[in-house]
Amino acid sequence: MVGVWEAIPFQEFAPSFGGGQPYACTEVDEFSARRISFPAHSTILTESEPATAIYKLTRGTACLYKMLADGRRQIVGFALPGDFLRSPFVERYSCSVNAISEVAARRFSREPFLTFLRSHPEHLGLMLEAALQEINAARDHMLLLGRGTAKEKVVEFIVRWRARAGRKGALANLVPLPMSRRDIADFLGLTIGTVSRIITKLERENVLRITSEGLQLMGSTDRPLLFERRYH
C-alpha cells in the first residue's frame, strides 16, 4: 500500500456508502487525507479491527465480505469509485474489504470526520440517509437470498449491477463484470457451477452474450431482453 498525505476538500469524500445515492456537498473545510493504492486481490480492511479511518474509493472495484463459522465467504456488497468502504459511525469494521482490481482510495482520519458531522447537522442528516439506504439495500438482498430461485438471483444481480455501473451516466447494454464468477456466487449464495450454467443458458436463449469485457445484453438499451426474463 502506498500513501501520500495531502489536504483534501470535504466535498471530495461526500458521496455514498457502498452503492447508495450520492449527494452534493459544498463545504470547503479541508482535512488531512492520504492517497493510497492497493494491488488486486489485496486486503483493504479487516473485519472487527478498530475503525480508526474512513476510506473512499477513487478507482477500481472492491468486495465487502464476512467469513462464516464454517469458513465460507459471504460477500455482502461491492464498492465502486465514489463509495465509502463502510460507515463512519461504527467503532469497528463490520466486514472485511478486498480489492478486486487494482484500487486507489483516500484515507481520512475518523475523528475529524465525525467532529465535522457533529457541527454540521445538514451533512450528518445526509450521511444518515445514505446509511439508511445501505440498510434497505441489505434487506432487499436478504429477501432475494432467502426467496429467490437460482436463476432469479443471477438475473436480478445483472439487472442491479447494470444500474450501479451506469449510475453516473446513461445505462448501456454492455455490463462490465470486474468481479469473478466466484465473487458473484459468494454474493448470491450459489456455487460457481450454478452461476456459470445460468449465464450460459441465458446466452443460449439470446438474452445476453458473454464478452471479454462482461455481458452484452440483447434488445433495446431502454429495456433489454433480460428485463423480460427477470422472473421467469
Side-chain angles (χ1 to χ4, degrees), residues 3-4 11 15 66 103-104 107 116 125 138 192 200:
V4 177
Q11 65 264 32
K66 298 177 76 70
V103 160
R107 181 185 186 276
F116 176 88
I192 302 174
T200 299

Side-chain angles (χ1 to χ4, degrees), residues 16-53:
S16 62
F17 305 130
Q21 293 298 316
Y23 67 81
C25 177
T26 57
E27 184 62 50
V28 295
D29 287 8
E30 292 187 341
F31 292 77
S32 182
R34 188 181 186 185
R35 295 181 187 270
I36 303 179
S37 62
F38 299 87
H41 312 302
S42 63
T43 299
I44 301 174
L45 301 177
T46 302
E47 183 179 357
S48 299
E49 284 188 348
T52 57

Side-chain angles (χ1 to χ4, degrees), residues 170-218:
L171 290 176
N173 275 15
L174 178 61
V175 181
L177 290 181
M179 69 287 290
S180 67
R181 292 192 183 184
R182 176 179 291 277
D183 292 335
I184 296 172
D186 288 349
F187 181 60
L188 298 176
L190 301 172
T191 65
I192 302 174
T194 298
V195 171
S196 295
R197 283 194 299 273
I198 292 171
I199 291 177
T200 299
K201 186 173 187 295
L202 292 171
E203 185 174 40
R204 286 200 305 267
E205 294 173 351
N206 201 35
V207 173
L208 54 78
R209 183 164 54 86
I210 302 169
T211 74
S212 59
E213 297 177 295
L215 301 176
Q216 180 71 41
L217 306 187
M218 301 294 104

Side-chain angles (χ1 to χ4, degrees), residues 135-157:
I135 292 172
N136 289 336
R139 185 181 296 116
D140 290 343
H141 186 58
M142 288 174 59
L143 180 62
L144 181 65
L145 291 182
R147 296 295 182 182
T149 66
K151 189 172 184 180
E152 286 171 347
K153 291 177 183 180
V154 173
V155 171
E156 191 66 21
F157 168 77

Side-chain angles (χ1 to χ4, degrees), residues 36-203:
I36 303 179
S37 62
F38 299 87
H41 312 302
S42 63
T43 299
I44 301 174
L45 301 177
T46 302
E47 183 179 357
S48 299
E49 284 188 348
T52 57
I54 299 166
Y55 293 81
K56 178 199 170 185
L57 204 64
T58 58
R59 177 167 50 84
T61 309
C63 69
L64 295 71
Y65 68 94
K66 298 177 76 70
M67 295 302 297
L68 306 180
D70 60 5
R72 288 178 298 163
R73 181 184 67 159
Q74 177 63 57
I75 291 182
V76 297
F78 296 97
L80 290 170
D83 290 338
F84 283 117
L85 303 180
R86 297 291 80 190
S87 166
F89 304 115
V90 297
E91 295 186 357
R92 292 184 177 273
Y93 298 121
S94 58
C95 64
S96 298
V97 181
N98 277 9
I100 291 176
S101 59
E102 182 180 352
V103 160
R106 290 208 173 106
R107 181 185 186 276
F108 301 90
S109 297
R110 178 170 174 260
E111 285 307 317
F113 185 95
L114 292 177
T115 297
F116 176 88
L117 292 180
R118 294 185 189 106
S119 61
H120 295 77
E122 67 279 16
H123 296 308
L124 175 60
L126 291 170
M127 296 294 286
L128 290 173
E129 181 180 348
L132 179 59
Q133 290 173 351
E134 183 183 29
I135 292 172
N136 289 336
R139 185 181 296 116
D140 290 343
H141 186 58
M142 288 174 59
L143 180 62
L144 181 65
L145 291 182
R147 296 295 182 182
T149 66
K151 189 172 184 180
E152 286 171 347
K153 291 177 183 180
V154 173
V155 171
E156 191 66 21
F157 168 77
I158 297 171
V159 169
R160 292 181 182 179
W161 185 251
R162 175 180 183 262
R164 283 207 60 199
R167 68 185 179 185
K168 293 184 179 179
L171 290 176
N173 275 15
L174 178 61
V175 181
L177 290 181
M179 69 287 290
S180 67
R181 292 192 183 184
R182 176 179 291 277
D183 292 335
I184 296 172
D186 288 349
F187 181 60
L188 298 176
L190 301 172
T191 65
I192 302 174
T194 298
V195 171
S196 295
R197 283 194 299 273
I198 292 171
I199 291 177
T200 299
K201 186 173 187 295
L202 292 171
E203 185 174 40

